[in-house]
Amino acid sequence: MRAVLGLLGAVVVLGVFSSVVRTLVLPRPARSGFTRAVRATLYLPFQAVADRCRTAAAKDRVLAPVAPMSLLVTLVLWLASFMVGYALLEAAVSDLGPKAALMEAGSSLFTLGFASSSRSALTAVDFCAAATGPIVIALQIGYLPALYGAYARRETAVTLLQSRAGSPPWGPEILARHAQADLLDSLQELFGDWERWSAEVAESHTTYPVLIHFRSARDTRNWLVSLLAVMDAAALHLAFNPTLPQTQVRLALRAGFVCLRDLADVRGIAYDADPSPGDAIELDEATFLQGVERMREQGFPMERTPERAWPHFKGWRVNYEALAYRLAHDIDAVPAPWSGPRRTTSAIMAPVTPVDRRPVG
């Protein structure tokens, strides 16, 4: 019986230690079943409430605490699991009962010292437990600045995009606003910034997958919808104006769908790695023409007609549409034009578009 308790305790301690290392220490994508199970379990009741909300703003308020709260719950469950695992080891090397073993393990794990034993076998387990508690807490404390630093950098670009893309953002709105304000020359800089942004998000959100569920400070903003808007703007730019400089636009577009594929790999989402430009997409031509009309109203230059540009736009969008729609559905992103369905039927929020007023005379 003691051998079984010892084996079970070792499995628990080593399993939780593996989860801690994969989540907090390893600087590369490493899936932890423990942390995924915690997040999924915590997510269910909040999502059930959010599904009953009638507005996107109410849904966002319900879902906003889930990801940060999962960090705290994960730490508590790590420590609780370590305490159970060390208690099993304590019981395996002594004649302590369940209550006494838990007290011995808890006293050592949290370095309280109110329960101790002079037995050498127990002392060895106590030393291991005493080292584990502070190390796990210190790692979690060091983990939070890196996590929130990556979140802040992500949200800075999302907030800056609001004046260029509406709120919530929309691909045609980016091109329309730049044409309206005579800022078409700055599009190359925008696409360059979002190429770097996509690379950074791919790195941080695969290393710390919980960031995928961190929501923006305002319910009309979302990192995924912003990325989709920039990618749509790039695809529209390439489809309508083939003779204009394309290098930076193509790089931004490619960085965007590579980012989405990296996130899909972490979440275990299947996708076509080599889609054909002729494959079907969910966005229909009538909806596409509505966006084109918004661009035309504001004077965006178009070398191709919408009919000729549509196949080219489809050929670009097929690379990222399905993944963007799937992730937007999974995280219940703000409903926005050209961003696919959500878990529950919600009115699509049209981008708020201020008029660029200029002095006359």
Side-chain angles (χ1 to χ4, degrees):
M1 185 62 184
R2 288 189 177 184
V4 173
L5 291 175
L7 180 61
L8 185 58
V11 169
V12 171
V13 169
L14 293 176
V16 179
F17 181 74
S18 173
S19 175
V20 171
V21 171
R22 288 169 178 269
T23 304
L24 304 182
V25 180
L26 201 62
R28 61 181 301 175
R31 303 175 69 181
S32 168
F34 187 97
T35 54
R36 288 204 315 274
V38 170
R39 281 199 298 270
T41 304
L42 188 64
Y43 180 79
L44 289 175
F46 283 88
Q47 187 63 64
V49 175
D51 287 345
R52 289 164 173 76
C53 294
R54 300 192 177 199
T55 65
K59 181 179 292 189
D60 185 79
R61 285 194 298 271
V62 171
L63 295 176
V66 180
M69 191 181 298
S70 71
L71 300 176
L72 178 60
V73 173
T74 299
L75 174 61
V76 171
L77 291 180
W78 273 337
L79 293 175
S81 300
F82 272 126
M83 188 167 73
V84 171
Y86 281 118
L88 291 170
L89 291 174
E90 301 271 13
V93 298
S94 69
D95 54 1
L96 295 177
K99 182 178 179 180
L102 280 172
M103 290 182 63
E104 182 88 20
S107 171
S108 300
L109 185 68
F110 298 104
T111 63
L112 299 175
F114 64 81
S116 60
S117 173
S118 59
R119 298 184 183 183
S120 59
L122 275 175
T123 302
V125 176
D126 288 339
F127 280 155
C128 292
T132 298
I135 288 174
V136 171
I137 295 173
L139 286 173
Q140 183 81 340
I141 292 172
Y143 167 74
L144 291 178
L147 192 75
Y148 280 93
Y151 170 78
R153 290 189 296 274
R154 184 192 81 183
E155 290 302 307
T156 298
V158 172
T159 303
L160 286 172
L161 188 67
Q162 181 174 341
S163 63
R164 296 171 177 256
S167 185
W170 184 35
E173 189 70 20
I174 295 177
L175 301 181
R177 288 194 184 193
H178 281 76
Q180 178 194 33
D182 294 331
L183 296 174
L184 291 174
D185 290 342
S186 68
L187 280 172
Q188 298 296 321
E189 180 183 356
L190 173 70
F191 291 130
D193 291 342
W194 276 82
E195 180 196 0
R196 289 185 291 273
W197 182 94
S198 297
E200 184 168 341
V201 167
E203 178 66 25
S204 60
H205 287 47
T206 54
T207 304
Y208 309 123
V210 68
L211 281 171
I212 296 173
H213 295 277
F214 268 64
R215 306 180 78 85
S216 297
R218 295 187 179 274
D219 59 87
T220 56
R221 295 200 294 257
N222 178 268
W223 67 271
L224 178 60
V225 175
S226 297
L227 174 59
L228 178 59
V230 172
M231 295 171 72
D232 279 339
L236 287 166
H237 193 284
L238 293 170
F240 276 99
N241 296 305
T243 65
L244 294 181
Q246 295 189 358
T247 302
Q248 190 58 67
V249 187
R250 285 173 176 263
L251 288 174
L253 189 56
R254 181 165 184 80
F257 69 73
V258 168
C259 172
L260 293 179
R261 291 180 180 186
D262 287 346
L263 299 181
D265 290 337
V266 169
R267 295 177 63 85
I269 299 174
Y271 58 87
D272 185 356
D274 187 23
S276 169
D279 289 348
I281 62 173
E282 291 190 38
L283 185 74
D284 57 65
E285 188 171 2
T287 306
F288 166 78
L289 292 176
Q290 292 173 4
V292 172
E293 184 59 29
R294 169 64 185 157
M295 295 157 51
R296 190 196 304 276
E297 288 173 355
Q298 301 304 320
F300 181 76
M302 301 179 186
E303 297 173 9
R304 288 184 175 132
T305 64
E307 293 73 20
R308 291 177 56 211
W310 168 242
H312 295 276
F313 176 76
K314 282 179 56 182
W316 288 111
R317 203 172 207 255
V318 74
N319 290 288
Y320 59 86
E321 184 193 72
L323 278 180
Y325 281 15
R326 168 65 186 273
L327 288 170
H329 176 276
D330 287 354
I331 66 175
D332 240 341
V334 56
W338 295 19
S339 65
R342 300 296 183 267
R343 291 175 55 90
T344 54
T345 302
S346 301
I348 294 178
M349 301 174 66
V352 178
T353 309
V355 177
D356 185 32
R357 303 292 185 187
R358 308 178 191 181
V360 178

